[in-house]
Each structure stands twice: as structure tokens, then as C-alpha cells.
């Protein structure tokens, strides 16, 4: 089969221009300094559309709101549907609408950081846009990166998108209640995740019921 692929060092997507990535990294480093100054631990939550990022953040918020003061940034192309759900769970939420952009970047996050009172929070949960490709290239300055996959993402999601996991500390296998219905084995996905990154902490979860939320919190040291 004929395969078209970039030559060594060639980048197809103009968005991934080296200067843009470098500038993003500088801004991410600044974000990290700002967060550290205010003793805030930030988690970048990535995952495909409908993997369960919002419901996972809702469950974490419910679990941790008695222990930490939680802020959340809800990144979405449009709408405040997710932001409202997270707010109901007990976090202070700021919506970041990216328009046509398919990922958050450090500049958007910095703007968001400038519009909240950083002394009021201990934990910041950042829901990235539903996508596990380009968010990997745009660190936000978070302390931890978490990738949510779900059994409905299919059996090859890890093998097809290894890069996003390499920069992450924690991966969640979500919707484990659907193992039988989907015929997809959480064990196999976990094996693949650990092949991509042996040090990854893998947590199985049902983000609708909250099963696994406590394990996730401890994997994130929260
Ligand atoms: Mg969402
Ligand atoms: Zn993107």
C-alpha cells in the first residue's frame, strides 16, 4: 500500500510551526510559575469527543470539593453545556470558547488565569477540547496531564495516538461498564498504554457512576 508521510523534520500542518510551538512552551512555563506562586495544582484533562472528560471532572469535583477549593476551565469550541455541569458539581468554572481551534493553548490558559482570583483555589482542572491529537503538542503549564480514553473509542485508540500518552502522567480507561457491549478489553488497552509509556498510571473508571474516582484522585496526588 502506498503511504504518504512527511520527510524527516517536515511538518505538514502549518499550525505546528516550530516558532508557534516554542512560543507556546514559553507561555506554558510562565503559567506554571504563576500557578506555583499561588500553590495551585493544575491538571490538563485531554480526551476524544465524548470520552467522558466532563463527567470525570464532575466526579473529581464532587469527591474533592470538601478538601480542596477547585477551579475549572472548560475548553470547548462553543456552548457552556459542560461548564454548567462542572459548576453544578461545586467548582468555580470559567468557560474558554476556542471557536474553530481544536485545542487549548498556553496563551488562552494564561488569559483565563488572569481573570480568576488565584488565591481562592488549590486545584485547577482544565478540560481541553475533545481531541487527542494536537493538544499533545500544546502544553498549558499544568503539573499533570491526564488522558481519558473510553471503551467506545474502539480497540486501537492507544496504538493510533501514542504521542498524547507519552507526555501524560495518568491515563483513564473510562466506561469500563461497557466491556461486554463493546467487546473491548480494558486489560488489552491497559497493556497497550503501558507499552507506550511504562511509567503511566492507569485508572479504570465509570465516570457516570463515579466508580474509580477515588483511585483517580490518588493517582493525581490530589
Ligand atoms: Mg466535555
Ligand atoms: Zn488543534
Amino acid at each position: 500500500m502506498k503511504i504518504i508521510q512527511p520527510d524527516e523534520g517536515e511538518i505538514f500542518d502549518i499550525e505546528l510551526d516550530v516558532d508557534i510551538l516554542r512560543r507556546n512552551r514559553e507561555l506554558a512555563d510562565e503559567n506554571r510559575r504563576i500557578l506555583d506562586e499561588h500553590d495551585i495544582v493544575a491538571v490538563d484533562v485531554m480526551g476524544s469527543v465524548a470520552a467522558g472528560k466532563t463527567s470525570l471532572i464532575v466526579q473529581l469535583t464532587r469527591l474533592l470539593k470538601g478538601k480542596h477549593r477547585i477551579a475549572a476551565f472548560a475548553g470547548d469550541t462553543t456552548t457552556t453545556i459542560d461548564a454548567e455541569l462542572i459548576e453544578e458539581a461545586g467548582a468555580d468554572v470559567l468557560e474558554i470558547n476556542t471557536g474553530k481551534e481544536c485545542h487549548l493553548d498556553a496563551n488562552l490558559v494564561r488569559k483565563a488565569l488572569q481573570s480568576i482570583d488565584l488565591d481562592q483555589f488549590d486545584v485547577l482542572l482544565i478540560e481541553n477540547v475533545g481531541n487527542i491529537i494536537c493538544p499533545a503538542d500544546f502544553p498549558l503549564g499544568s503539573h499533570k496531564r491526564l488522558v481519558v480514553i473510553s471503551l467506545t473509542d474502539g480497540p486501537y485508540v492507544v496504538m493510533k495516538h501514542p504521542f498524547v500518552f507519552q507526555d501524560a502522567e495518568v491515563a483513564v480507561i473510562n466506561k469500563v461498564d461497557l466491556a461486554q457491549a463493546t467487546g473491548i478489553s480494558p486489560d488489552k488497552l491497559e497493556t497497550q498504554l503501558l507499552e507506550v509509556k511504562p511509567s503511566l498510571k492507569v485508572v479504570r473508571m465509570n465516570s457516570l457512576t463515579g466508580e474509580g474516582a477515588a483511585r483517580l484522585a490518588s493517582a493525581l496526588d490530589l
Side-chain angles (χ1 to χ4, degrees):
M1 190 190 303
K2 196 171 176 186
I3 300 174
I4 295 182
Q5 55 189 3
D7 295 328
E8 182 81 26
E10 184 191 5
I11 294 167
F12 276 174
D13 191 339
I14 199 163
E15 178 189 63
L16 298 183
D17 180 270
V18 175
D19 287 337
I20 290 176
L21 294 180
R22 189 190 305 128
R23 182 73 188 123
N24 184 79
R25 253 180 229 115
E26 289 166 2
L27 287 168
D29 290 344
E30 279 176 34
N31 289 347
R32 175 75 78 97
R33 275 196 293 277
I34 293 167
L35 290 163
D36 286 342
E37 269 167 31
H38 295 271
D39 285 322
I40 298 174
V41 174
V43 182
D44 179 6
V45 181
M46 300 176 284
S48 296
V49 170
K53 296 179 297 303
T54 306
S55 55
L56 176 151
I57 290 172
V58 163
Q59 296 294 352
L60 270 185
T61 300
R62 283 187 190 149
L63 183 74
L64 297 172
K65 67 181 170 189
K67 186 177 171 192
H68 302 297
R69 299 167 300 170
I70 301 173
F73 295 162
D76 245 321
T77 51
T78 60
T79 84
T80 55
I81 295 169
D82 291 355
E84 285 162 30
L85 290 169
I86 298 166
E87 195 163 60
E88 267 170 43
D92 277 45
V93 185
L94 194 73
E95 170 77 20
I96 305 178
N97 278 145
T98 58
K100 286 185 176 169
E101 281 298 327
C102 47
H103 55 268
L104 291 180
D105 62 38
N107 187 45
L108 285 167
V109 167
R110 196 165 60 153
K111 274 190 195 168
L113 288 173
Q114 284 165 345
S115 52
I116 64 170
D117 180 356
L118 294 166
D119 291 321
Q120 297 303 311
F121 303 103
D122 316 303
V123 173
L124 171 62
L125 303 173
I126 305 171
E127 178 173 347
N128 216 312
V129 179
N131 171 6
I132 52 172
I133 302 170
C134 51
D137 288 322
F138 291 86
L140 306 177
S142 65
H143 299 82
K144 300 250 160 85
R145 301 192 95 186
L146 158 66
V147 190
V148 192
I149 58 170
S150 79
L151 298 194
T152 51
D153 290 341
Y156 307 118
V157 62
V158 178
M159 293 154 74
K160 285 183 177 177
H161 304 286
F163 303 114
V164 74
F165 302 102
Q166 286 165 357
D167 275 339
E169 285 76 34
V170 180
V172 165
I173 301 174
N174 197 18
K175 309 187 190 177
V176 286
D177 53 312
L178 299 180
Q180 208 170 2
T182 57
I184 292 171
S185 154
D187 288 341
K188 274 190 192 159
L189 288 175
E190 179 159 351
T191 303
Q192 292 165 0
L193 285 165
L194 294 174
E195 275 168 14
V196 168
K197 186 171 188 184
S199 64
L200 203 58
K201 292 183 185 171
V202 181
V203 178
R204 299 182 191 196
M205 191 163 173
N206 176 346
S207 64
L208 284 185
T209 62
E211 182 202 331
R215 287 194 301 273
L216 174 60
S218 81
L220 290 167
D221 301 314
L222 292 176

